[in-house]
Amino acid sequence: MNRVPDYAAFPTVDQMHAELDELAAAHPHLVRLRRIGTSRLGEPLRVATIGAGPHDAVIIGGPHPNEPIGALTVSSLLRRLIDDAWLREEFGYRWHLIPCVDPDGARLNEGWYVRPGDRRAYAEHFYRPCEADQVEWTFPLTGEGYTFDRTLPETEALMGLMDEVRPSFVYSLHNGELQGAFYYLSRNEPGLAAALTAIAAGQGLPLHMGPPEVPSATQIAPAAYVTPRGAELGEIYGIGGSSVDYADRFGALHLVTELPYWADPRVSDETPTDQTYGEVISTYLTGQRALIAELRQSLAKADSELTVRSPFRRALEDFLGTHDDYISEWEDYPGADRPATVAEVVGKEQLKHSLRLRYGGMCLRLLDAELAAGNPAPAIRAERARVKSLFDAWFTEAESDFSATPIPIRTLVAVQLGAALLAAEAAKASAPSRGAIPSPPGDPARSGDRMLSTAPASHGIAP
């Protein structure tokens, strides 16, 4: 972890490809670079394979395009494996490293990748797909009363890779904004969870002691949860399973590391306040309902004039369409009469600001796309002015409650890298070696031979 270099920015998609090409060309006897699929817009999806151990690890960077820390974690791990013969040959793994599994979405965030730490730039250039367009949440799901089979090409590529290598360890590299550091593990392993949170705390990151992302999440240890499965969330949000659901097929240990961009020590403060947790939740939901009303008004007024096929519109409409189910989960939260902690108050307040800036920013991008396409209809111009005024007011309010500082990128990469090696070591204890794993039953069309080309990866443009 101490050998992770400093970084000034997150890499663009083209820079990710260029680095893969450079390292594969410089070390052809160590790094195998393959194209495993094609994105919805025609970008190559590529994986770098390195190492000679009896176990396989699949490392997924950029499962959400507003979460680019993983691209640098993949870069750092790949370079470490090239330089460290023991880690490459003796640690026990063959590594399959994907720097960015949603390059289409990543390109829509590149405006802020070059300005990490700038909160306004982040909001103004933010993009996150609607739930059913997210690579992480479109794995197949079949259950009583609910089925999801609308897998994306990017998800199919990940499925094909996992089908081929039958991993012992799968690591999905995530991050958030202002919450503290926390983890999801596919198994309830308190010892591993405690060791993982110690890595983050040891690097000076505040741990997330506020409200969980998912109300029903089972806590393993402070700042660590059992990963929710698609069966718990799919029908609520209209999504499929996640990479953890597919990793379960192989008995793999699955890890998610969630890290913030900004550090606010209050997110770890468990001091009781004079508010009840129910009051905190109610205040947050009132703010979310107000945000929904503003965005619905804008879309309603501009709807008849919209001409551009925009991913921003799809993301906004999805957010508006799922909020009732999301709110209902929190309205019945148990233990609402107890005093709320500082971390819980701050967590919900910052989430309010985050959602306003995220979706207000995407609404502006939707309207700006119309103007850029030569559509200055009065309704478009009027709503653009109204939403810009709202966005500015929301940003000012968010900044007035902002006591966080940008976290050095190298710190975030070091934590993700250290967690990878710690969890991979733990995964070996319960995983059979590659030669002992039986071939997967089922549809031959899911075989890795069909999905994974051995031809040299082409240059090109890569939820």
Side-chain angles (χ1 to χ4, degrees):
M1 292 169 64
N2 290 335
R3 295 173 181 171
V4 173
D6 290 328
Y7 298 102
F10 295 111
T12 65
V13 174
D14 288 340
Q15 288 169 338
M16 296 178 207
H17 280 304
E19 181 180 40
L20 288 180
D21 290 332
E22 174 193 346
L23 294 175
H27 306 279
H29 58 299
L30 297 179
V31 180
R32 181 188 179 199
L33 189 58
R34 295 186 288 169
R35 181 170 182 161
I36 59 171
T38 303
S39 76
R40 283 157 284 173
L41 295 182
E43 301 262 6
L45 303 171
R46 301 198 289 171
V47 60
T49 296
I50 184 171
H55 303 287
D56 286 87
V58 173
I59 314 299
I60 306 167
H64 292 126
N66 61 303
E67 302 177 4
I69 298 171
L72 292 174
T73 302
V74 164
S75 169
S76 185
L77 178 55
L78 179 55
R79 290 178 180 275
R80 198 74 245 129
L81 288 161
I82 289 170
D83 293 341
D84 189 332
W86 181 90
L87 185 63
R88 186 178 65 247
E89 305 294 336
E90 304 297 331
F91 183 62
Y93 276 92
R94 182 175 63 173
W95 301 85
H96 309 277
L97 307 169
I98 305 168
C100 179
V101 77
D102 185 3
D104 300 344
R107 289 192 183 276
L108 295 177
N109 282 276
E110 287 181 349
W112 70 266
Y113 282 5
V114 296
R115 288 184 280 173
D118 184 331
R119 196 178 185 189
R120 189 173 187 108
Y122 177 77
E124 290 177 339
H125 297 275
F126 176 90
Y127 170 69
R128 185 181 177 97
C130 74
E131 303 284 355
D133 286 345
Q134 293 178 11
V135 179
E136 182 65 277
W137 283 108
T138 51
F139 286 80
L141 185 65
T142 302
E144 293 184 12
Y146 182 75
T147 297
F148 185 95
D149 57 7
R150 300 185 303 279
T151 52
L152 304 175
E154 298 88 341
T155 314
E156 288 276 349
L158 287 177
M159 291 162 60
L161 177 61
M162 283 193 259
D163 285 344
E164 182 206 23
V165 305
R166 297 184 66 77
S168 300
F169 175 52
V170 177
Y171 190 16
S172 190
L173 298 161
H174 287 254
N175 55 265
E177 296 169 11
L178 273 157
Q179 86 292 349
F182 66 101
Y183 299 88
Y184 287 116
L185 276 167
S186 58
R187 301 197 283 260
N188 191 340
E189 298 192 15
L192 175 57
L196 289 168
T197 55
I199 284 181
Q203 291 290 311
L205 297 186
L207 297 179
H208 182 70
M209 305 304 289
E213 277 191 316
V214 179
S216 59
T218 299
Q219 190 167 18
I220 303 172
Y225 303 86
V226 175
T227 317
R229 288 350 191 236
E232 303 169 51
L233 304 176
E235 191 168 6
I236 295 173
Y237 296 105
I239 56 177
S242 75
S243 56
V244 69
D245 292 279
Y246 214 74
D248 284 344
R249 297 185 176 203
F250 312 105
L253 176 67
H254 185 282
L255 172 66
V256 170
T257 298
E258 294 271 9
L259 300 177
Y261 294 127
W262 296 275
D264 184 339
R266 296 178 299 169
V267 301
S268 295
D269 188 345
E270 297 186 278
T271 304
T273 68
D274 57 3
Q275 299 182 62
T276 69
Y277 194 35
E279 290 170 336
V280 172
I281 292 173
S282 177
T283 299
Y284 162 70
L285 294 181
T286 298
Q288 177 152 312
R289 289 188 176 100
L291 170 61
I292 293 292
E294 295 290 1
L295 295 176
R296 276 188 171 156
Q297 177 180 333
S298 286
L299 286 182
K301 288 187 175 181
D303 183 68
S304 62
E305 302 292 347
L306 296 175
T307 61
V308 176
R309 183 183 175 188
S310 168
F312 307 115
R313 180 177 184 178
R314 185 166 166 81
L316 283 167
E317 289 176 342
D318 178 70
F319 175 62
L320 301 180
T322 59
H323 84 285
D324 287 335
D325 290 327
Y326 177 80
I327 285 175
S328 68
E329 284 192 281
W330 281 105
E331 284 182 324
D332 299 326
Y333 195 82
D337 292 336
R338 63 171 174 79
T341 66
V342 171
E344 289 167 338
V345 173
V346 171
K348 283 300 187 187
E349 186 68 13
Q350 289 300 338
L351 184 56
K352 177 191 75 175
H353 295 315
S354 173
L355 291 175
R356 282 176 169 182
L357 297 179
R358 281 183 172 198
Y359 290 98
M362 281 202 289
C363 191
L364 285 175
R365 296 187 77 178
L366 164 66
L367 298 169
D368 284 341
E370 293 290 335
L371 296 174
N375 178 22
I380 300 293
R381 289 185 286 109
E383 280 311 299
R384 206 280 177 190
R386 191 183 78 86
V387 175
K388 178 63 163 57
S389 178
L390 281 171
F391 180 87
D392 288 341
W394 289 337
F395 184 79
T396 298
E397 183 180 338
E399 286 294 280
S400 70
D401 192 34
F402 193 57
S403 59
T405 55
I407 301 169
I409 297 175
R410 74 152 309 278
T411 300
L412 301 172
V413 173
V415 171
Q416 283 193 341
L417 177 61
L421 298 177
L422 188 67
E425 176 68 26
K428 289 189 293 186
S430 59
S433 63
R434 187 179 306 115
I437 300 174
S439 298
D443 183 0
R446 283 256 37 87
S447 70
D449 289 342
R450 182 181 68 88
M451 294 296 296
L452 294 163
S453 169
T454 57
S458 63
H459 290 277
I461 310 183

